[in-house]
Amino acid sequence: MATSLPNPLLDPTEEAEILSLYLVGRPPTAEQAMRYAEACRLYFFKDEHRSKERRVCDFVFKRPWALGFMDAGSAFCGRDSLLRRKLIFMAGILEADVTHLDKFLPDRSGSWIIPVRVALAGMRGALKTLVGVPLYLLVARS
Amino acid sequence: MKDVVVVGSGASAVNAAWPLVEAGLDVLMLDIGLKDDVYTPLIPDKPFEEIRRTDPDQHRYFLGDLFQGVPFGDVRVGAQLTPGRGHVLGGATRDMILSDVFQAAVSGALGGLAAGWGAVTPPFSDQDMESWPITRGDLEGHYTRVAERVGICGRSGDDLEPYLGEAGYLLPAPRADSNAVWLMKRYRRRRQWFHQNGLRAGVPWMALATRPFRGRRGLKYYDMEFWSDKDEAVYRPVYTVNELNKFANFEYRGNAEVRRFSEEEASVELEARDSEKETSFNVEASRLVLAAGALGTALIVGRSAASPTYRFPVLSNPYTYYPMLVPSFGKRVRDRRHSLSQILMYFQPDPDKAPLQAQMYSYRSLLTFKLAKESPLAMKESVEIMQALQSHFAIIGVHHEDLPTSEKYLSRHMPDFDINAWKIDYKRNDREERQRHELEKRFIKTVRKMGWLPIRRIDPGDGASIHYGGTLPMTSSDESNRTQPDGRLNGSKFVYIADGSAFPTLPAKGLTFTAMAWADRVGTLLGSQLKSS
């Protein structure tokens, strides 16, 4: 008898919207959301049924405010996790398009402001890691 | 019956075929000949940034229709290959090469591994060829002929002269990018100190047409070299195949995987497989020239002539990457640039020991999210940081020499069965490993003085350099499965080895220029031998 698999967490286009809003502050275009859905179909379908991966994604997509912390947590202790892979895919999809160039095209100004920008982003990232690591471990193990 | 069959269409194969065709011999080139018809036609002939700003279809060739351009896990062999170059690795043979410790790539592409190479072409010196039965002098004229065929650019007489020598054939060096200019300025300021500590830096010699060359348009500084060859500036062997196709005495046959050969009284019989029709066919020739790459050639010899338990030696330059930050803030970054190596360095603190070779690449056209993926911070902050720093980001690729030992070999996986599975065992001994690490550590300490800041060390594993050689090493003795200094395979009458398989050692240098010169030598000697008979 065939075993039925649980439904995916969210509609992939809803996931795409949450991830895009988080990464670039804007919703994805319909094409970008479609590309993300296609990536989910090709690469993530199986993993979504692993309990740990499912718990983490479930938590994040039901509480988008936690995405920043869970992103930081997965970068530190879940580098091959489903959430991290979804974020990498979405970043790639958003970058390989003409719509969010301001967020991805390399800064060529050579300005002395760059090290300051980097330091600020680095500090923000480090703070998120401090909160994100225990939160990620807690959710993944609960 | 053909005069000569050449197997493969890579850098060695086309340069072996050229003198044979020029000698008027009837030459057939057998090759799998995979090429990319999906992504290459989509890529506009425009600068990287203009494409990024204007092309709504860029996701197709930047990411791939199956998202194969989105990397996961650790850095792997061929990590720099983009979707349009994915066909370069693999597809060459039905045989399996198994290994837990060595990443083996056998190319079935039209143009072989050089269809995706970085084009750095340092010639070997006498010191590099110390244990070889031929000298640099034996290859000198062949380097020149190859350079006139493929186009080598560089600068004679700079600080790299002790390693590269001088040459009259060089095309003008390409324009350096802002990172390279900044670093070289700091290098020149302390040149004496760097020389005393064993570091020399200069302009890389590359198979790159910096001006129009043999029908190629020449470098346009579009920064698209990782993605496409629209300006035909980087040399690809397919250009020579196209030139050869204009000769009436040359024939190219694709979809042909050569499986084995057998020698008759006065000829050699080849069995090949048509990879499209899934049928076998035979070809008879006076001579056979194998140039399917060090691993591909060894597999053909292994299936044909070697004992099932024979162990082919394997060499591969150990390779390490160092992502670096070039803190050249305060000056606007130049937009028009190329993506190839900007600086070539040799580090040899002890003149009695082998040097290492390092190439510096500026990172820009491979997209920001791939860099962000390597960061230990959240993706959002990583993208922001990498966007800010990308113009100041560089990768140094470090190559070390490789010498043969009894612990590096290719053999049949199950010699008692007729199964086309092979395995590679590859283990560097403690002395090699220690020397590699010590030399690299000293190198990184020294290059810090040029101003760049190493971020981390990435070891992609053995075989990842895709510089393979030494499977049928050159010798003056008559030991079997070795190659004579004229290219003939010991124990055979009509079979010649024209690729890096014949190199007894792999110095810490890119081997392709020397593989091409060696192939030209084999083709030239064989051509005159056949003409005189």
Side-chain angles (χ1 to χ4, degrees):
Chain A
M1 192 178 74
T3 325
S4 65
L5 292 165
N7 290 327
L9 304 156
L10 269 185
D11 181 324
T13 54
E14 287 176 54
E15 275 186 25
E17 179 151 353
I18 292 170
L19 293 174
S20 178
L21 281 169
Y22 165 66
L23 287 169
V24 296
R26 288 167 224 143
T29 63
E31 290 82 14
Q32 287 163 355
M34 239 166 58
R35 269 172 232 148
Y36 177 80
E38 178 65 3
C40 288
R41 192 185 64 80
L42 286 169
Y43 293 99
F44 303 144
F45 183 71
K46 273 188 204 161
D47 287 338
E48 284 184 340
H49 303 292
R50 289 191 190 143
S51 57
K52 176 179 155 186
E53 305 283 19
R54 193 180 168 95
R55 268 198 307 275
V56 170
C57 289
D58 227 355
F59 182 83
V60 163
F61 292 119
K62 280 182 187 161
R63 301 167 189 82
W65 58 265
L67 183 50
F69 298 115
M70 295 297 273
D71 176 13
S74 70
F76 208 78
C77 44
R79 292 192 70 80
D80 198 34
S81 66
L82 180 62
L83 175 64
R84 175 104 180 136
R85 283 184 285 149
K86 287 187 171 197
L87 281 158
I88 293 171
F89 258 107
M90 196 64 212
I93 288 165
L94 294 170
E95 181 170 13
D97 204 298
V98 293
T99 46
H100 308 292
L101 294 171
D102 57 318
K103 300 285 181 188
F104 291 98
L105 267 190
D107 183 333
R108 286 196 286 111
S109 67
S111 161
W112 283 105
I113 301 293
I114 290 175
V116 179
R117 264 181 66 196
V118 169
L120 288 174
M123 279 193 294
R124 205 169 59 238
L127 286 173
K128 278 164 75 173
T129 305
L130 282 177
V131 181
V133 168
L135 182 65
Y136 181 86
L137 292 174
L138 192 75
V139 174
R141 287 175 189 172
S142 63
Chain B
M1 184 169 81
K2 293 285 177 185
D3 290 330
V4 184
V5 167
V6 176
V7 178
S9 67
S12 298
V14 297
N15 283 288
W18 189 275
L20 294 164
V21 170
E22 249 185 350
L25 298 161
D26 195 12
V27 176
L28 169 66
M29 181 173 276
L30 293 178
D31 181 37
I32 310 272
L34 302 176
K35 50 191 174 190
D36 167 56
D37 296 323
V38 178
Y39 302 111
T40 304
L42 299 173
I43 302 176
D45 185 17
K46 289 179 181 167
F48 173 73
E49 201 158 312
E50 192 180 332
I51 290 175
R52 291 282 289 106
R53 288 184 187 284
T54 56
D55 188 5
D57 290 328
Q58 59 186 274
H59 63 94
R60 290 202 58 199
Y61 46 85
F62 283 148
L63 302 183
D65 288 342
L66 297 173
F67 301 95
Q68 61 271 45
V70 181
F72 284 121
D74 296 332
V75 179
R76 287 171 297 114
V77 62
Q80 74 282 16
L81 291 175
T82 51
R85 302 209 196 273
H87 66 290
V88 171
L89 298 182
T93 173
R94 284 191 300 181
D95 292 16
M96 285 183 293
I97 302 180
L98 311 165
S99 183
D100 293 334
V101 293
F102 190 91
Q103 302 175 66
V106 186
S107 179
L110 174 58
L113 292 170
W117 70 324
V120 175
T121 48
F124 286 6
S125 64
D126 272 323
Q127 192 190 358
D128 296 327
M129 298 164 68
E130 214 168 6
S131 57
W132 295 30
I134 60 170
T135 64
R136 158 82 186 236
D138 294 317
L139 291 180
E140 199 64 64
H142 302 289
Y143 278 125
T144 305
R145 275 198 284 277
V146 167
E148 287 164 357
R149 209 170 288 144
V150 310
I152 305 287
C153 70
R155 190 171 294 151
S156 252
D158 72 359
D159 278 5
L160 298 181
E161 196 186 314
Y163 294 95
L164 305 181
E166 283 204 18
Y169 49 70
L170 293 176
L171 300 173
R175 226 168 37 212
D177 76 358
S178 319
N179 286 337
V181 169
W182 189 85
L183 290 163
M184 285 306 288
K185 207 167 150 187
R186 295 174 70 98
Y187 167 79
R188 275 191 287 270
R189 235 184 263 158
R190 304 184 68 174
R191 175 188 257 141
Q192 282 309 318
W193 184 87
F194 283 119
H195 287 191
Q196 279 161 12
N197 284 278
L199 183 81
R200 285 177 172 269
V203 175
W205 290 18
M206 290 188 282
L208 177 70
T210 46
R211 58 169 170 71
F213 184 83
R214 290 181 82 126
R216 288 151 59 194
R217 287 192 299 159
L219 187 62
K220 295 184 86 174
Y221 297 95
Y222 279 178
D223 201 8
M224 283 295 289
E225 283 79 9
F226 282 112
W227 306 94
S228 75
D229 298 310
K230 296 284 175 182
D231 60 5
E232 300 185 329
V234 178
Y235 173 72
R236 305 291 176 200
V238 65
Y239 307 146
T240 307
V241 173
N242 293 342
E243 283 193 64
L244 284 165
N245 270 324
K246 293 176 187 157
F247 289 86
N249 55 326
F250 175 80
E251 185 191 344
Y252 172 85
R253 178 168 178 178
N255 297 318
E257 184 198 345
V258 171
R259 297 297 300 166
R260 55 181 62 83
F261 61 82
S262 56
E263 293 195 276
E264 311 294 329
E265 188 70 21
S267 64
V268 56
E269 176 97 13
L270 277 169
E271 185 197 317
R273 186 179 72 99
D274 187 312
S275 50
E276 197 176 51
K277 296 178 190 152
E278 291 287 329
T279 53
S280 291
F281 64 95
N282 294 324
V283 178
E284 194 184 359
S286 293
R287 299 288 185 277
L288 169 64
V289 174
L290 295 176
L295 299 179
T297 292
L299 294 189
I300 295 170
V301 173
R303 288 190 292 256
S304 310
S307 128
T309 53
Y310 180 71
R311 292 175 166 189
F312 292 90
V314 169
L315 297 176
S316 173
N317 292 120
Y319 191 44
T320 318
Y321 301 89
Y322 285 88
M324 300 262 190
L325 196 62
V326 184
S328 56
F329 303 112
K331 207 173 171 188
R332 193 169 173 79
V333 175
R334 187 180 290 165
D335 179 36
R336 298 293 291 274
R337 53 183 296 274
H338 63 79
S339 336
L340 304 164
S341 176
Q342 299 283 343
I343 300 176
L344 183 64
M345 290 173 279
Y346 288 98
F347 182 63
Q348 190 175 22
D350 182 346
D352 296 329
K353 290 187 180 161
L356 63 72
Q357 176 189 279
Q359 294 145 232
M360 173 266 194
Y361 299 84
S362 289
Y363 186 108
R364 195 183 65 160
S365 61
L366 281 175
L367 303 181
T368 309
F369 82 97
K370 293 185 196 175
L371 270 184
K373 164 191 167 280
E374 299 302 322
S375 153
L377 295 177
M379 198 67 191
K380 184 179 165 71
E381 277 70 28
S382 301
V383 167
E384 198 178 327
I385 290 170
M386 295 307 169
Q387 183 194 21
L389 290 181
Q390 204 182 122
S391 298
H392 303 273
F393 210 78
I395 305 280
I396 294 188
V398 176
H399 285 101
H400 295 266
E401 75 164 355
D402 198 19
L403 303 175
T405 70
S406 58
E407 293 185 286
K408 303 168 186 169
Y409 59 87
L410 163 80
S411 61
R412 277 194 182 271
H413 184 49
M414 288 184 277
D416 298 335
F417 299 94
D418 190 22
I419 293 174
N420 291 316
W422 303 78
K423 64 175 175 147
I424 292 181
D425 285 294
Y426 186 97
K427 189 172 185 292
R428 281 192 301 275
N429 59 41
D430 292 345
R431 189 183 55 82
E432 287 178 305
E433 198 61 18
R434 202 173 48 244
Q435 275 182 6
R436 176 187 175 193
H437 279 94
E438 279 171 13
L439 191 59
E440 252 178 57
K441 228 166 132 180
R442 289 178 72 180
F443 167 70
I444 292 299
K445 205 173 153 191
T446 307
V447 293
R448 273 178 196 269
K449 304 275 184 194
M450 280 167 82
W452 44 24
L453 310 167
I455 295 168
R456 59 186 280 219
R457 178 179 189 267
I458 300 172
D459 183 349
D462 289 321
S465 63
I466 325 186
H467 289 182
Y468 308 126
T471 45
L472 300 154
M474 218 184 296
T475 177
S476 298
S477 78
D478 58 1
E479 199 181 338
S480 62
N481 299 315
R482 296 288 189 269
T483 303
Q484 284 294 301
D486 66 351
R488 188 176 55 77
L489 179 66
N490 273 352
S492 80
K493 286 185 289 182
F494 310 123
V495 180
Y496 289 76
I497 306 299
D499 57 25
S501 309
F503 293 2
T505 59
L506 285 187
K509 278 183 176 171
L511 79 160
T512 311
F513 194 18
T514 305
M516 293 193 278
W518 164 250
D520 186 78
R521 173 184 156 90
V522 173
T524 305
L525 294 174
L526 180 58
S528 32
Q529 184 201 334
L530 286 173
K531 283 308 272 185
S532 62
S533 64

